[in-house]
Amino acid sequence: NIKKAPLAELNLTPRTHNLLMREGYTTIDDVIFANHMVLKERLVNIKNGLKAYNELLRKLKELGFA
């Protein structure tokens, strides 16, 4: 099941992957079922966080999850 796969399966940039991991998001399932308003709020307060959030959304849309 792709949703249970680690974030690495999304092929995000290292910056985005590492930022999400530091925030406690370790699987695709974690980011799919996260409250995206809370996720965005958490990330925008971190350097490059908004870029990371937008990259994550683009990737989830490409895969049909957003």
Side-chain angles (χ1 to χ4, degrees), residues 15-34:
R15 174 195 67 228
T16 298
H17 179 265
N18 293 337
L19 192 150
L20 289 167
M21 294 292 287
R22 278 194 307 270
E23 289 299 308
Y25 300 97
T26 59
T27 66
I28 295 173
D29 203 41
D30 290 341
V31 294
I32 290 172
F33 292 105

Side-chain angles (χ1 to χ4, degrees), residues 34-62:
N35 178 323
H36 282 266
M37 294 303 294
V38 172
L39 175 60
K40 183 178 181 180
E41 187 175 307
R42 287 175 70 180
L43 296 182
V44 296
N45 294 313
I46 300 170
K47 183 180 179 185
N48 294 316
L50 185 57
K51 287 181 184 178
Y53 179 76
N54 289 331
E55 178 186 352
L56 174 63
L57 285 185
R58 278 193 307 277
K59 185 58 77 168
L60 291 175
K61 285 179 184 176
E62 286 175 19

